[in-house]
Amino acid sequence: MTDAPTGYDTANIEAKWQKAWDEAELFRAERSDAPKYYVLEMFPYPSGRIHIGHVRNYTMGDVIARYKMASGFNVLHPMGWDAFGMPAENAAMASGGHPKEWTYNNIDVMRGQMKPLGLSIDWSREFATCDPEYYGQQQALFLDMLDKGLVYRKPAIVNWDPVDMTVLANEQVIDGKGWRSGAEVERKELTQWAFAISSMAEDLLDSLGDLKDWPEKVRLMQENWIGKSRGLQMTFALSQPAHGHDGIEIYTTRPDTLRGASFIALAPEHPLAKALASENADLAAFNADVRKGGTTEEALEKAEKRGFDTGLTVENPLGGTLPIWVANFVLMDYGTGAIFGCPAHDQRDLDFARKYDLSVTDTFVALNDGTPVAGTAFVPPKTEKVLWIDQPAGVEEATGQEAIDATIDWAEARGLGTGKTQYRLRDWGLSRQRYWGCPIPVVHCDACGVVPEKKENLPVELPDDVTFDVPGNPLDRHPTWRDVNCPSCGKPARRETDTMDTFVDSSWYYARFTAPHAQTPTNMDDATYWMNVDQYIGGVEHAILHLLYSRFFARAMNETGHLPASAREPFNALFTQGMVTHAIFQTRDDKGRAVYHLPEDVDLDTRTVKATGETIEIIPSAKMSKSKKNVVDPQDIIASYGADTARWFVLSDSPPERDVEWTASGAEATHKHLRRVHRLATDVARADRPANAADADLAKATARAIQEVTDGIEGFAFNKSVAKLYEFTNTLHKSDAGAEARRGAIKVLAQLMSPMTPHLAEEIWSMMGGEGFVLSAPWPVADPALLVDDSVTLPIQINGKKRSEIVVPKDMPKAEIEALVLQDEAVQRILEGGQPKKLIVVPGRIVNVVV
RNA sequence: GCGGGCGUGAUGGAAUGGUAGACAUACCAGACUUAAAAUCUGUUGGGCGUAUGCCCGUGUGGGUUCGACUCCCACCGCCCGCACCA
C-alpha cells in the first residue's frame, strides 16, 4: 500500500530489505565455530496455495530463528515440500494432468507466495520429497534397514473396495462405503512391508521422560499410544480338542477378574475361528459379515458388538466351563487375539453378556457399598481399594493393581500362565498400492524370493508414462517398468509395485536438511554439527504418528550408521501451534440449506449480504475451508498491508498454541499500528529536544521492554511480546525525553520488533543510523539496575477480597508491614477496633486480613 | 467408543495459588476539520448508588485453601488424534 503522507510504503520497504538480505546471503547456513541453532517448522504439503495458517506457522519459526541469530547463534532454518501423496493422484484423476506436473507447479506457486513474507530461510537447502535425489536416498535407507531386520513383510488388513477392486485409504471410506463406487467396503488381508517400530517400544516410551521441552500433552498422548501394560498370558484347556487346538491362549490386563469370567471371545481372524468357519457355514457367514466396514479403530469400536456361539467350551481353572464365542470387538492385532470376558467389570463385556444372556458375576465390590448403577459395569480406577470376593490369589481389601500383581504371581506359581508385558503399539505398515510415492526398492523373483535392488541402481525412479483413467495402481499395469530381471540371478522377475507411506518421507527430512545434496542419506559431519533440531514447530494433529515415526527413524538411522547416537531423539524442543480460523458468513436457501458468502460480499455493520440485503448468520472461529468461503489468502493481505502486517497479526492476540481468529478489522488495526511506529520513527529522527529529566523514565521503560519482550519470545508467548511492544510504543510516543534518549529507545524498539516485523525494523534501524542490519546487531540486554523498583505496592485483601493497598519500601520487614496494614483506613473500618483473626503477609506480593 | 486438550467482558486475550479483565479490537464521547477520512485524547465486565463505596462475576455443580480463572471430583459444550489424509 502506498501511503504518501506517512511514507510507510510497504511494497518498496519490504522488497528493498529482502533484496539486501539475499545479496548479503544472511540466511545461508554454513558450519562454523559458533554455537548452532536448528529451527524447523513442519514442512508443507504442496496443496496449491499457502494459507494464513502456514503464515502463522512459519512466522513463529522465523521469530525464533531471527531472535537466535541476533543472540549470536549460527542458525539453520530450512524449508522443503512433503510432496508425495494422494491429492496429486486425485487431481490427475479429476482433470487428467500428471501428479508430477501438478505437484511441481504447486510448489512453484507456493514458494512464490512464501518469499514475500521475508522469512529467514536458507533456500539453497530446499528439496521436495518427490525429487529422485531425495527418494533415492530414502530407498538406500530402506535397504539398510532391511539389512538390520528393521523392515519385514507381514499380513496386514486393508480397506478393500470390491467394485473398484482397489485398496482405499481410510478417508476414502465414508460410512463404511467406498467414496467412488459406493460399495460396502471389506477388510482384506494383504502381505505388506512393515517397520519394526514395536521392537523399540520400550526405548520410545522411556525416552519420553527426557523430552523436557515437549508439551506434556504430547508426551502423554505418545505414552498412551505406546500403551505399555503388564498382564497375564494363560491358556484355557478346551473341553474337547478341536482342529488340532487343545487350548485357547488368552491375554488379559485384568487377571484379577478371572473369577468373574463368563465367556471366551476369539477374533474372527483367530486360527481356531477360521478353522471352525471352514466347516460351519453360519460361522463363515458371520465372519464375512463382521469383516464389512472400514479398518479404523474408531469404526471397529463404534460397530455394534456381535458374537457367534461356537458351541465349544474351555475348562475354567476356578471350576466349571466357559463358552467360546467369536466376537467382532476382539482384535487379532493385540495380545493373542483371544480374551476372556468379565461382564461385571467391563462395559463392553457387560453389553455383550446382556445381549447373549451370559452370566454376570461380581469379583469385587466398592468398600463404601455405594449403590451400583443398573446396567453399568463397576470399573473403579486401578488405584482404588475395593473389597474382593473369593479372590483366588487371596486378597481381600486391596486395589485393583495389587490384585492384578497377586493374581499373576498366583497363576505363575500354579503354572496356569505367565506375566507378560504388552504394548498397544503395532508395527508400522508402510506399503501403499499407489503410484505417487517412493517406490519400494525390491524385486520379487520366483527363484530367489524377495531380492533387494542393488544400491548402484538407485534411485528406482517412478515412470512418467502412466494414466489414471482406471482405478488402482498404474505401476501394477506398467509392464516395461514392472517386469525386470532379478538383480541376483538375472532371470525374469517382477518389481515391487507398492510405494511407501508418505509418513516415511517426513520421518527423516529433518536429517536430510543438514546435507540436502549428499550422495548418501546424510553426511555424518554435517549431521553431527547440525542435529538435533533445537526447536520443532507444527500442528498438534501430528502429536502421535508423525512424531513417533520420526523418533523411530532417528533411532533406525543411528543403527544403520546415518545419524550419531546423540541424534536418536531428534527434536530437543517441540511447540504445537494452533490454527488460524475465520468466521463463516451464511444465509439459508428456501430448503433451509446453508449458503456461504465471501467476506467481501457482506456488510458487517448491518449483518447483511450486500447484493441482496439478506440477513447473515455469523459462525465465529471456524476452520478455514474453501467450500465455506472463509479462507484468507496471504497474498491479498500482503498486497494491501504488507508482509509485516500479516506477520504481526498472526502473532498477536492469541497465544501461539491456541487458535487465532483472522478478522479484517484486526488486520486493518495492525497495519495502523505499524504505520504509527513508522511515523514515530520519522518524527524522532528529526527531533532535537535536549536531554532532560524524562530520559531516566524512558531508560527504565526500555529496560523493562527488553526484559518482557525477550521473556515472551523465550517462553513462546509471542502474543505477550506483542502486547509489551504496544505498551512500549505508547510509552515512547508519550515520552518527553530528549532526542538522543528517544533515538536510543527507538533503536531498541526496532531490535525488539525485528523478529516479528523484520522489514519495518530494518527500515527504522537504518533511519536511526544503525550500523549494518538490525538482524546482525546483538540482541539488547536489559540493565538489571533499571529493572528493580525501590518500593512495591501491596494490595490488602480482607477475607480474600482486595479492599485497599499500601506502598512500602521493597524490603520492609514483615512486622513493620503488619503494623502499617493495621493502621490502614479500610482495615480499621472493618475491624471496628477489634483484632484480626489472622494476618497473612506474602512479602512483595500481597497482604490478607482474616476477620 | 477410546486417548488428549480447551472453555475468562461485545470480541481476541492477560493473570497458572496472591489486585480478575494487562494489551488489542469494537463501541461511545471529546479535540482537530466547512465536512468526512486520517490522526490525537478519554470512557467502557454487570448491577445498585450523587459519592467514599457495596453486591455479583472466569462453561455448570460440588470440594480443598487465609485466598481458586489457576488445584481436586462430577457434569456440559467445542476442538485434535485413533495407525492408508497430510
Side-chain angles (χ1 to χ4, degrees):
Chain A
M1 177 183 271
T2 310
D3 211 329
T6 65
Y8 182 40
D9 177 352
T10 56
N12 268 327
I13 291 174
E14 293 180 357
K16 173 174 75 182
W17 291 108
Q18 283 170 21
K19 186 158 167 262
W21 297 327
D22 267 358
E23 282 167 0
E25 297 201 321
L26 276 185
F27 309 132
R28 195 179 198 105
E30 305 283 358
R31 274 153 55 188
S32 79
D33 296 333
K36 68 91 190 180
Y37 196 91
Y38 183 1
V39 194
L40 184 65
E41 302 102 51
M42 290 180 185
F43 65 166
Y45 178 79
S47 54
R49 300 184 67 77
I50 66 167
H51 58 75
I52 201 78
H54 291 117
V55 175
R56 191 174 188 219
N57 190 208
Y58 306 137
T59 302
M60 287 179 192
D62 205 43
V63 168
I64 298 293
R66 288 173 176 271
Y67 166 69
K68 290 291 176 183
M69 281 178 209
S71 305
F73 287 89
N74 183 24
V75 171
L76 172 60
H77 185 203
M79 182 58 65
W81 310 94
D82 188 12
F84 275 135
M86 290 201 311
E89 287 191 34
N90 294 340
M93 271 184 255
S95 50
H98 193 283
K100 187 174 173 178
E101 215 174 297
W102 184 86
T103 303
Y104 281 106
N105 277 341
N106 286 351
I107 289 173
D108 286 342
V109 170
M110 290 173 74
R111 190 195 303 104
Q113 290 182 293
M114 276 165 76
K115 290 220 165 162
L117 286 169
L119 302 169
S120 63
I121 286 167
D122 179 358
W123 287 101
S124 73
R125 290 174 188 258
E126 177 193 357
F127 60 76
T129 56
C130 63
D131 296 341
E133 191 189 19
Y134 181 80
Y135 72 71
Q137 295 305 329
Q138 184 163 306
Q139 291 168 342
L141 215 44
F142 178 94
L143 294 178
D144 289 344
M145 287 169 75
L146 185 60
D147 216 34
K148 285 273 178 190
L150 289 166
V151 200
Y152 67 102
R153 301 218 313 154
K154 68 156 195 175
I157 293 168
V158 297
N159 300 305
W160 181 254
D161 185 322
V163 171
D164 278 351
M165 300 291 278
T166 182
V167 177
L168 299 181
N170 284 334
E171 71 159 7
Q172 297 173 320
V173 178
I174 296 149
D175 294 331
K177 307 215 167 53
W179 66 335
R180 281 171 196 283
S181 69
E184 200 153 15
V185 169
E186 293 165 12
R187 291 194 286 275
K188 186 182 173 183
E189 208 171 75
L190 290 182
T191 301
Q192 309 254 282
W193 287 95
F195 288 120
I197 186 171
S198 66
S199 69
M200 295 190 189
E202 189 64 39
D203 184 18
L204 290 167
L205 178 65
D206 266 358
S207 311
L208 286 173
D210 302 330
L211 298 175
K212 304 273 184 257
D213 292 319
W214 280 43
E216 179 65 33
K217 63 177 174 188
V218 174
R219 287 186 282 160
L220 236 187
M221 281 190 261
Q222 293 222 349
E223 184 182 326
N224 291 335
W225 185 262
I226 295 169
K228 182 178 183 174
S229 64
R230 186 170 138 80
L232 178 69
Q233 188 151 315
M234 68 178 286
T235 302
F236 286 90
L238 276 160
S239 302
Q240 291 96 31
H243 294 276
H245 295 256
D246 30 293
I248 306 282
E249 188 169 50
I250 62 98
Y251 176 76
T252 176
T253 56
R254 292 308 299 258
D256 54 314
T257 63
L258 177 59
R259 184 181 170 276
S262 80
F263 61 93
I264 297 288
L266 306 179
E269 297 84 14
H270 191 278
L272 179 58
K274 280 185 179 170
L276 290 168
S278 68
E279 56 187 36
N280 181 335
D282 289 343
L283 177 54
F286 173 83
N287 281 352
D289 204 35
V290 297
R291 249 202 313 278
K292 282 184 185 154
T295 57
T296 67
E297 192 165 308
E298 186 185 1
L300 297 174
E301 287 279 339
K302 280 186 177 166
E304 190 199 353
K305 308 298 174 269
R306 297 163 62 195
F308 184 94
D309 188 357
T310 64
L312 299 177
T313 59
V314 296
E315 298 298 312
N316 185 341
L318 300 180
T321 61
L322 298 172
I324 302 177
W325 287 67
V326 176
N328 64 343
F329 61 86
V330 182
L331 304 178
M332 196 60 219
D333 278 331
Y334 187 71
T336 60
I339 60 154
F340 71 72
C342 176
H345 305 297
D346 184 295
Q347 190 60 45
R348 198 167 49 182
D349 293 349
L350 183 64
D351 296 342
F352 192 78
R354 287 277 158 84
K355 183 166 180 179
Y356 295 108
D357 205 20
L358 299 162
S359 66
V360 180
T361 310
D362 285 333
T363 305
F364 50 80
V365 292
L367 281 181
N368 58 13
D369 59 29
T371 336
V373 185
T376 309
F378 178 46
V379 192
K382 281 184 193 171
T383 49
E384 187 179 314
K385 275 204 172 189
V386 290
L387 185 63
W388 296 83
I389 306 159
D390 293 338
Q391 220 288 342
V395 297
E396 282 172 358
E397 232 178 69
T399 66
Q401 191 57 57
E402 286 160 359
I404 290 167
D405 294 339
T407 311
I408 292 174
D409 292 345
W410 168 86
E412 284 185 337
R414 277 161 191 74
L416 289 171
T418 47
K420 203 180 162 195
T421 297
Q422 190 85 37
Y423 300 89
R424 203 185 76 98
L425 178 66
R426 308 196 293 259
D427 278 341
W428 167 17
L430 69 109
S431 301
R432 297 292 180 268
Q433 293 70 40
R434 268 182 266 289
Y435 166 77
W436 193 233
C438 171
I440 295 173
V442 300
V443 171
H444 299 275
C445 169
D446 286 341
C448 314
V450 176
V451 183
E453 185 57 81
K454 291 191 174 124
K455 275 205 181 163
E456 61 263 33
N457 293 337
L458 300 185
V460 175
E461 276 197 58
L462 286 169
D464 286 339
D465 53 333
V466 288
T467 57
F468 296 87
D469 42 3
V470 281
N473 180 359
L475 296 178
D476 235 1
R477 44 174 199 265
H478 191 297
T480 58
W481 186 83
R482 184 190 66 200
D483 299 334
V484 291
N485 291 330
C486 172
S488 174
C489 69
K491 281 188 207 135
R494 194 186 147 93
R495 198 180 279 294
E496 168 78 60
T497 56
D498 284 354
T499 53
M500 296 188 204
D501 179 6
T502 56
F503 269 123
V504 181
D505 312 335
S506 56
S507 291
W508 71 286
Y509 76 110
Y510 52 87
R512 183 70 182 170
F513 274 137
T514 65
H517 305 297
Q519 299 302 302
T520 45
T522 59
N523 169 301
M524 263 300 190
D525 289 340
D526 286 312
T528 305
Y529 177 79
W530 288 115
M531 286 296 285
N532 294 346
V533 176
D534 292 282
Q535 182 66 59
Y536 196 32
I537 302 167
V540 71
E541 65 272 21
H542 296 293
I544 296 177
L545 294 179
H546 163 64
L547 289 165
L548 195 62
Y549 291 160
S550 294
R551 296 178 63 220
F552 162 71
F553 246 74
R555 284 163 171 74
M557 288 177 76
N558 169 236
E559 292 182 14
T560 50
H562 297 295
L563 277 181
S566 55
R568 284 174 67 90
E569 199 58 78
F571 310 126
N572 291 347
L574 172 71
F575 187 85
T576 56
Q577 99 282 8
M579 293 183 298
V580 181
T581 61
H582 190 271
I584 294 174
F585 305 114
Q586 65 176 38
T587 53
R588 302 272 170 188
D589 68 8
D590 49 9
K591 294 203 176 78
R593 287 174 305 212
V595 178
Y596 302 104
H597 302 275
L598 290 168
E600 57 264 35
D601 295 340
V602 302
D603 183 333
L604 278 180
D605 292 332
T606 56
R607 300 196 158 210
T608 52
V609 179
K610 282 180 194 162
T612 63
E614 284 173 283
T615 302
I616 49 164
E617 205 181 316
I618 299 177
I619 301 167
S621 302
K623 192 173 178 168
M624 289 191 188
S625 145
K626 265 186 204 163
S627 64
K628 302 211 167 135
K629 298 195 178 172
N630 68 335
V631 176
V632 174
D633 194 319
Q635 227 166 346
D636 299 343
I637 305 303
I638 293 173
S640 16
Y641 300 120
D644 283 340
T645 291
R647 297 171 55 117
W648 182 269
F649 182 89
V650 294
L651 295 173
S652 58
D653 287 358
S654 269
E657 66 275 17
R658 243 195 270 177
D659 293 350
V660 64
E661 175 153 357
W662 182 275
T663 60
S665 57
E668 172 74 36
T670 296
H671 185 66
K672 275 187 195 172
H673 174 72
L674 296 185
R675 211 157 54 196
R676 202 175 306 142
V677 173
H678 185 267
R679 195 171 49 237
L680 177 64
T682 313
D683 293 348
V684 170
R686 294 195 201 113
D688 60 354
R689 195 181 316 163
N692 63 64
D695 291 9
D697 285 342
L698 186 57
K700 266 197 143 168
T702 306
R704 213 164 38 240
I706 293 172
Q707 189 64 41
E708 290 175 332
V709 171
T710 307
D711 285 352
I713 295 174
E714 290 271 357
F716 247 95
F718 306 128
N719 57 323
K720 290 189 224 168
S721 293
V722 167
K724 296 302 172 192
L725 285 166
Y726 270 112
E727 235 168 35
F728 184 43
T729 307
N730 292 340
T731 304
L732 189 46
H733 188 83
K734 290 176 188 166
S735 169
D736 295 322
E740 266 323 297
R742 296 181 86 207
R743 273 194 278 273
I746 213 153
K747 278 176 82 175
V748 171
L749 177 67
Q751 286 188 278
L752 296 179
M753 287 177 75
S754 70
M756 292 103 174
T757 56
H759 312 91
L760 177 58
E762 293 289 5
E763 186 70 12
I764 294 175
W765 183 256
S766 81
M767 224 189 267
M768 295 297 137
E771 235 176 89
F773 292 105
V774 66
L775 174 62
S776 313
W779 191 255
V781 179
D783 178 354
L786 293 175
L787 289 174
V788 286
D789 285 316
D790 304 334
S791 59
V792 290
T793 303
L794 286 186
I796 298 176
Q797 290 184 333
I798 293 166
N799 290 336
K801 278 196 194 292
K802 190 204 160 192
R803 293 296 179 211
S804 180
E805 58 184 33
I806 47 171
V807 179
V808 298
K810 184 166 54 93
D811 35 14
M812 185 184 242
K814 249 187 180 180
E816 283 178 44
I817 296 176
E818 283 177 16
L820 272 177
V821 167
L822 291 175
Q823 283 160 28
D824 182 83
E825 206 183 309
V827 175
Q828 293 216 327
R829 194 172 54 234
I830 303 277
L831 285 176
E832 292 171 333
Q835 281 298 307
K837 229 159 124 188
K838 206 168 174 184
L839 191 57
I840 294 149
V841 177
V842 185
R845 310 284 329 227
I846 203 162
V847 178
N848 194 8
V849 184
V850 187
V851 295

